[in-house]
Amino acid sequence: MSDAARAAEAAPIPVTVLTGYLGAGKTTLLNRILTENHGRKFAVVINEFGEMGVDQDLVIDADEEVFEMNNGCICCTVRGDLIRIIGGLMRRKDRFDGIIVETTGLANPAPVAQTFFVDEDVKRATRLDAIVTVVDAKHLLTRLGDSPEAEEQVAFADVIVLNKMDLVSENEAEEVERRVRAINPTVEIRRATKSDVPLDAVIGRDAFRLDRILEREPEFLSGEDDHTHDSAVQSLSFEVDQPIDPEKFNAWISELLQTKGQDLLRTKGILAYKGEDRRFAFQAVHMIADGDYIGPWKEGAPRKSRIVFIGRDLNRPRLRRGFEACVAA
């Protein structure tokens, strides 16, 4: 092995932590990174909040290895899972150029970043390149008022992607930027629509600075975490085996978002429409919804429809009945 090859083998793997509140556009940005023609390979770790995950299905079919962790915030109960996954990846580090960790929208990024400093094996094998926070320009000011996680995500960011610029005026965008600067004066802000930022704005930045974090949280390296979640926020997931009638689903979800949208922080689903060989991805933030086909069902895979609601004051039986009523005749 040449000296250059040995140096490459010993070099720590760069890690990008991709965070942002529910529905800000993290998965859209992740898909952009994975589909850009950059010649690099990434291992992807996705964390979801809730009983059943759909985020892995929302990541486009790429050659990357995708690891999914459910039932808990990456900053709490599954930190051990993250350490184990990274340990496993290090045994085949020649197969990728970097790691991307996409956190749940309810994650405080501080303890995520801690993982790369308080575990000796992880610290030796990886280098935290940047914390990239995607924020929803339309809803950020509301989130800063009702969610401590949203403020922490802004505070710990090295780069902020100010997303959904098509939904706000210039005055509104300037006010959002002013609030961001009040929390994190030195952060780089990139405006975007559908997370359309150049790859070099978020990958390979070498932007994480431990001294800045220690200024905000002197106990950062202690490994202790006083992070708590808003106990009022819950995640409900439902699945049906039969095909969905698109007209029934659209009528039901439109009424639901209209009447319950303020309490629905995030809605996302993968649907099997009757007579259609492609998967339909549905996503919504409050009352703003979007959806499109994302490719065919894999051969032999069960065509199950799944939907996840994350929000406050959710009625499980009513939501279940509503979703099951969308089954095609």
Side-chain angles (χ1 to χ4, degrees), residues 36-234:
E36 288 257 340
N37 186 21
H38 46 64
R40 281 179 275 183
K41 291 267 294 178
F42 296 99
V44 181
V45 183
I46 297 175
N47 183 224
E48 294 196 61
F49 174 74
E51 316 153 313
M52 181 195 303
V54 300
D55 278 4
Q56 185 160 339
D57 291 302
L58 295 174
V59 176
I60 65 104
D61 293 326
D63 292 333
E64 277 70 15
E65 296 191 65
V66 178
F67 301 87
E68 188 176 45
M69 297 183 292
N70 284 40
N71 286 321
C73 170
I74 204 169
C75 52
C76 306
T77 57
V78 297
R79 183 192 274 171
D81 287 346
L82 177 60
I83 291 171
R84 281 191 293 276
I85 287 173
I86 289 173
L89 287 172
M90 289 307 105
R91 291 194 286 274
R92 47 184 188 225
K93 61 188 292 188
D94 58 318
R95 290 169 54 178
F96 53 89
D97 305 297
I99 299 172
I100 300 172
V101 180
E102 182 191 355
T103 74
T104 163
L106 294 173
N108 176 342
V112 180
Q114 276 177 344
T115 306
F116 299 94
F117 293 92
V118 300
D119 182 89
E120 286 304 318
D121 291 336
V122 172
K123 181 179 177 181
R124 191 164 43 247
T126 63
R127 170 179 59 81
L128 187 53
D129 183 72
I131 296 176
V132 177
T133 299
V134 185
V135 302
D136 180 340
K138 178 77 173 174
H139 294 108
L140 180 66
L141 298 185
T142 302
R143 293 289 77 82
L144 291 176
D146 64 17
S147 169
E149 285 91 356
E151 182 171 345
E152 292 297 311
Q153 289 165 358
V154 169
F156 275 82
D158 301 301
V159 179
I160 281 184
V161 177
L162 185 58
N163 200 27
K164 306 190 182 182
M165 285 296 298
D166 54 323
L167 301 181
V168 296
S169 67
E170 178 61 27
N171 286 343
E172 289 171 322
E174 288 176 359
E175 173 61 15
V176 171
E177 289 190 357
R178 188 188 68 76
R179 288 288 300 278
V180 166
R181 294 277 182 216
I183 298 167
N184 188 340
T186 61
V187 73
E188 178 182 335
I189 299 175
R190 292 277 188 144
R191 293 186 174 190
T193 297
K194 295 189 181 298
S195 300
D196 57 346
V197 294
L199 186 72
D200 59 10
V202 292
I203 296 290
R205 296 303 309 272
D206 192 23
F208 183 82
R209 294 292 175 265
L210 184 59
D211 54 352
R212 183 179 74 83
I213 301 303
L214 289 172
E215 266 185 45
R216 178 178 175 86
E217 290 202 11
E219 302 301 311
F220 177 76
L221 292 179
S222 70
E224 296 300 316
D225 174 29
D226 59 359
H227 174 52
T228 57
H229 289 294
D230 180 354
S231 60
V233 176
Q234 61 185 138

Side-chain angles (χ1 to χ4, degrees), residues 282-321:
F282 175 82
Q283 305 192 56
V285 178
H286 292 302
M287 294 174 228
I288 300 174
D290 190 19
D292 203 355
Y293 291 102
I294 58 169
W297 292 91
K298 291 180 180 173
E299 194 168 340
R303 298 191 178 189
K304 296 182 177 181
S305 294
R306 290 170 290 154
I307 194 163
V308 177
F309 299 97
I310 302 174
R312 300 182 176 93
D313 190 28
L314 304 182
N315 185 314
R316 181 187 289 270
R318 187 176 300 167
L319 289 172
R320 179 186 295 279
R321 286 195 301 270

